[in-house]
Amino acid sequence: MKAHASPSTLRKPASMYMKSAGYYIVVYIILLFVIFPFLWMVVSSFKTQAQMMDTQHFFNFSPTLRNYSDVFQRYNFTEPIVNSFAIALISTALALVLGLPASYAIARYRMTKLSIVLLIIRMIPAITFLVPWYIIFSLLGIIDTYASMILAHMLVALPFIVWIMVPYFESIPKEIEESAFVDGSGKFRTFLQIVLPLCGPGIITAAILSFVFSWNNFMFGIILSGRKTKTLPIAIYGFLTYTDINWGGLMAGSVIITAPIILISLILQRYIIKGLTAGAVKG
Amino acid sequence: MPHNRFKDSAKWAFVSPALIYALIMILAPLAYTLFLSFHQWSMSGVDKPLFVNIKNYADLCKDDRFLMAILRTFLFSAMALPFELVLGIAIAMLLNRDFKGKNIIKSLFLLPMVATPVSVGLVWMLMYEPTIGIANTLLGLLGITKLPIWLGSPNSAMFSLAIVDIWQWTPMISLIVLAGLSALPNEPLESAKVDGATKLQTTFKIVLPMLAPTITAAALLRLIDVLKIFDIIYATTKGGPNFATETLNIYAFVQAFQYFSFGYASAVLVVFFLIILAVSVAFVLIRNKFRVEM
């Protein structure tokens, strides 16, 4: 139980209430700033172009679903949704297949040099790879295929997985594996059957973040995707080139792109906070 | 001895799939970029890359657009980072107590940084829209008559984008600092209380110094990412108006994929890479230093 009634609250309750009301007001103002752009995105996605122009009635308007049907019918959003899901899922899965054993080895065999190299890879500007990839992929004729997009998106995921999983594997006591070795289990079986199942939360964190960052990725898609493999960020960016900006459609599209990410984050927030703050807090 | 089990062969077997990927997708492309930076090439079918020695690099030194891009990249960081740090730390201190709804607030704080940057850019573009955007409508209600045109003017575009970055990443600093705060040992705080230290004294003399490693690591990570900012700028201004928001990342992108000067773009990338590498090495060194001290 917490000690609710500290001496000061007993002595001057009125001013304490004022203080805590003031506190909540400040907190809510901060919160409003944080979520306002999202509210705005949603509100605007239900407006017609004419309502958008009417700055007298920002919140007082009769909502329309036109923008959402436009997004699917006129701008054909279905295909990019499928592409985004497929590319994010496959690249995350493949990056896990490569990244988990590598992180395990880095943690267990103390391959610090390798971990520093991977840390630096996380920091290198992605465009440094994009130029040579574009040239090589063009020569191979795999621009605008899932292969090129997945290979590229794996680069986003891999350093993240290592970043999150190395400390995680380090935190698993060695004795567990050693007793498995004594029982005659091989290294790979031990890793697959004993170590990995212990790392569920870490793997979930790494997988969600990889998925999110692949889903959000914009730069690779501009160059490596085309008509067939266009992902959502590219599809919505395509709206902009129409001479008259269709704000309602843009916002409806933005809601569709952002909604899954927001849902995932809210449901799995514990994991995501841990993942995003990992490198800094652990030192 | 069970330790004999940890032999080299197993170690390399575990890392080799990732290493092969890294070799093909990271190391070879980096080497190729370095190679191209000494050549002139526009990827036309018949011509081979033409060796021009250090001409690209020599040209870069005289290229005002490039030098301005470097300056802008750092200027942008200087506009965004200090705000993110100060605000982020202040908000974390404010939230660092038990109250109803704290967890909801923490999860809402996640949203700006996980939301798709392109859609974030688009919604800010709408809010900044000079005639129909809410930003100017609100300023108008406050009685301000000389309304800014935000992303539309070379004078204000950079700062407008910095605001977006501040909005996106201040919450992350807060979350990191909050995590750091909850990991702090209690004894120093309690003994300070016993010694009669004021809240302000405790914050500045005890809490902040103890958080220094966390804050430094967060700041450097943020610096590296802010130097590489691309999505928000490309989605909104594309480096304009009049190159006012053309950072190094955008400039390299334009050189490569609009002008198709792959050699020259590669030289830009090598310089960009070296800048980031220098900052990253500083990051690793500082991080390791703090680790030893802790």
Side-chain angles (χ1 to χ4, degrees):
Chain A
M1 282 311 287
K2 262 178 286 171
H4 276 298
S6 67
S8 60
T9 24
L10 286 177
R11 236 173 282 142
K12 30 185 181 177
S15 74
M16 280 309 278
Y17 276 122
M18 288 292 285
K19 229 178 152 182
S20 101
Y23 180 75
Y24 276 106
I25 290 172
V26 174
V27 169
Y28 284 129
I29 289 175
I30 294 170
L31 203 56
L32 183 68
F33 270 107
V34 172
I35 58 171
F36 187 79
F38 295 109
L39 286 179
W40 202 239
M41 192 189 279
V42 174
V43 168
S44 308
S45 73
F46 292 111
K47 284 183 180 175
T48 64
Q49 193 74 349
Q51 286 165 341
M52 202 74 79
M53 304 288 178
D54 181 6
T55 54
Q56 301 299 311
H57 303 94
F58 265 133
F59 290 98
N60 183 14
F61 64 94
S62 46
T64 168
L65 284 173
R66 248 312 275 293
N67 296 319
Y68 285 90
S69 60
D70 266 7
V71 163
F72 284 98
Q73 280 154 17
R74 272 177 54 202
Y75 301 112
N76 191 19
F77 235 46
T78 327
E79 225 174 299
I81 290 179
V82 175
N83 288 339
S84 272
F85 260 109
I87 290 168
L89 276 179
I90 300 171
S91 64
T92 299
L94 288 177
L96 284 173
V97 169
L98 299 189
L100 289 177
S103 319
Y104 175 70
I106 290 172
R108 273 296 173 263
Y109 305 98
R110 308 213 173 282
M111 304 169 86
T112 13
K113 273 185 206 133
L114 191 63
S115 83
I116 289 176
V117 170
L118 281 160
L119 195 69
I120 287 176
I121 289 172
R122 177 209 176 289
M123 296 168 179
I124 298 173
I127 189 173
T128 323
F129 307 114
L130 188 57
V131 170
W133 285 351
Y134 172 72
I135 296 169
I136 297 162
F137 290 168
S138 306
L139 293 176
L140 294 174
I142 57 167
I143 296 279
D144 192 16
T145 62
Y146 272 10
S148 65
M149 286 292 277
I150 288 168
L151 278 172
H153 280 222
M154 281 168 70
L155 180 86
V156 185
L158 209 48
F160 251 105
I161 291 170
V162 174
W163 179 263
I164 291 165
M165 290 312 294
V166 168
Y168 211 96
F169 284 127
E170 276 172 353
S171 73
I172 302 241
K174 257 197 185 131
E175 291 72 35
I176 295 176
E177 291 148 61
E178 279 161 8
S179 64
F181 293 152
V182 171
D183 292 345
S185 171
K187 278 170 216 109
F188 299 100
R189 252 186 62 202
T190 310
F191 171 66
L192 285 176
Q193 297 184 342
I194 297 175
V195 181
L196 278 190
L198 287 173
C199 297
I203 298 172
I204 294 175
T205 308
I208 304 165
L209 283 178
S210 304
F211 183 90
V212 167
F213 284 101
S214 165
W215 179 271
N216 285 348
N217 188 285
F218 180 47
M219 190 202 271
F220 292 158
I222 305 174
I223 300 304
L224 300 180
S225 76
R227 234 163 25 90
K228 285 178 291 175
T229 53
K230 182 157 77 171
T231 53
L232 283 168
I234 314 299
I236 194 162
Y237 185 66
F239 289 15
L240 267 183
T241 50
Y242 296 84
T243 41
D244 196 16
I245 297 183
N246 172 5
W247 285 110
L250 273 178
M251 289 304 111
S254 296
V255 170
I256 294 169
I257 296 181
T258 324
I261 296 293
I262 288 188
L263 270 179
I264 295 174
S265 324
L266 290 183
I267 296 169
L268 301 168
Q269 54 114 346
R270 232 163 20 96
Y271 296 111
I272 298 191
I273 291 180
K274 227 182 234 155
L276 282 174
T277 56
V281 179
K282 273 230 149 174
Chain B
M1 282 291 283
H3 275 280
N4 291 344
R5 283 249 169 209
F6 294 105
K7 269 193 216 131
D8 266 16
S9 57
K11 163 169 127 179
W12 290 110
F14 275 117
V15 293
S16 57
L19 278 187
I20 292 169
Y21 174 86
L23 211 65
I24 296 173
M25 291 294 288
I26 295 166
L27 219 63
L30 282 181
Y32 191 51
T33 303
L34 190 64
F35 165 86
L36 274 183
S37 74
F38 295 103
H39 291 74
Q40 199 173 348
W41 196 38
S42 60
M43 234 189 121
S44 59
V46 277
D47 293 331
K48 282 205 169 116
L50 176 72
F51 181 68
V52 293
N53 212 333
I54 58 161
K55 180 173 178 298
N56 288 329
Y57 291 98
D59 287 350
L60 277 183
C61 299
K62 291 174 289 184
D63 180 352
D64 282 342
R65 221 175 128 184
F66 169 71
L67 298 173
M68 280 306 288
I70 294 185
L71 190 69
R72 264 186 228 110
T73 306
F74 281 98
L75 197 69
F76 185 80
S77 311
M79 279 188 216
L81 251 186
F83 280 101
E84 288 167 18
L85 286 176
V86 173
L87 275 176
I89 293 169
I91 292 173
M93 298 276 180
L94 186 78
L95 297 181
N96 186 36
R97 54 158 110 165
D98 285 319
F99 61 91
K100 238 175 146 182
K102 187 176 177 184
N103 274 328
I104 301 171
I105 287 182
K106 270 165 83 179
S107 27
L108 292 174
F109 266 35
L110 273 180
L111 302 187
M113 60 182 133
V114 292
T116 312
V118 175
S119 31
V120 165
L122 292 175
V123 73
W124 278 89
M125 214 166 127
L126 172 61
M127 295 196 295
Y128 279 147
E129 224 288 334
T131 48
I132 65 168
I134 189 161
N136 276 356
T137 311
L138 288 179
L139 289 182
L141 287 178
L142 291 174
I144 294 165
T145 46
K146 217 173 150 280
L147 294 168
I149 46 174
W150 304 102
L151 296 169
S153 146
N155 299 322
S156 55
M158 199 65 151
F159 189 69
S160 309
L161 288 171
I163 292 177
V164 181
D165 199 73
I166 292 167
W167 170 79
Q168 244 188 320
W169 294 102
T170 300
M172 184 185 81
I173 303 286
S174 296
L175 289 178
I176 289 176
V177 174
L178 269 175
L181 281 170
S182 66
L184 285 184
N186 252 332
E187 295 83 42
L189 296 178
E190 271 158 19
S191 62
K193 219 178 201 172
V194 172
D195 293 344
T198 64
K199 224 175 178 179
L200 216 62
Q201 279 174 328
T202 328
T203 305
F204 282 96
K205 296 250 165 78
I206 299 173
V207 177
L208 283 180
M210 280 202 294
L211 281 179
T214 303
I215 295 172
T216 315
L220 282 163
L221 268 185
R222 202 51 223 121
L223 174 63
I224 291 162
D225 282 344
V226 97
L227 292 174
K228 295 189 294 188
I229 184 171
F230 178 85
D231 291 10
I232 300 266
I233 300 183
Y234 197 81
T236 54
T237 64
K238 250 186 160 176
N242 199 15
F243 309 124
T245 55
E246 193 174 75
T247 57
L248 260 178
N249 219 342
I250 303 279
Y251 184 59
F253 192 89
V254 168
Q255 281 294 342
F257 299 113
Q258 268 172 35
Y259 304 160
F260 293 100
S261 340
F262 287 109
Y264 196 64
S266 297
V268 175
L269 290 177
V270 170
V271 176
F272 192 18
F273 172 84
L274 290 176
I275 292 175
I276 300 284
L277 192 69
V279 181
S280 309
V281 169
F283 168 76
V284 173
L285 289 179
I286 292 174
R287 205 172 79 130
N288 289 349
K289 191 179 152 241
F290 274 119
R291 214 185 223 171
V292 173
E293 280 173 5
M294 269 166 78

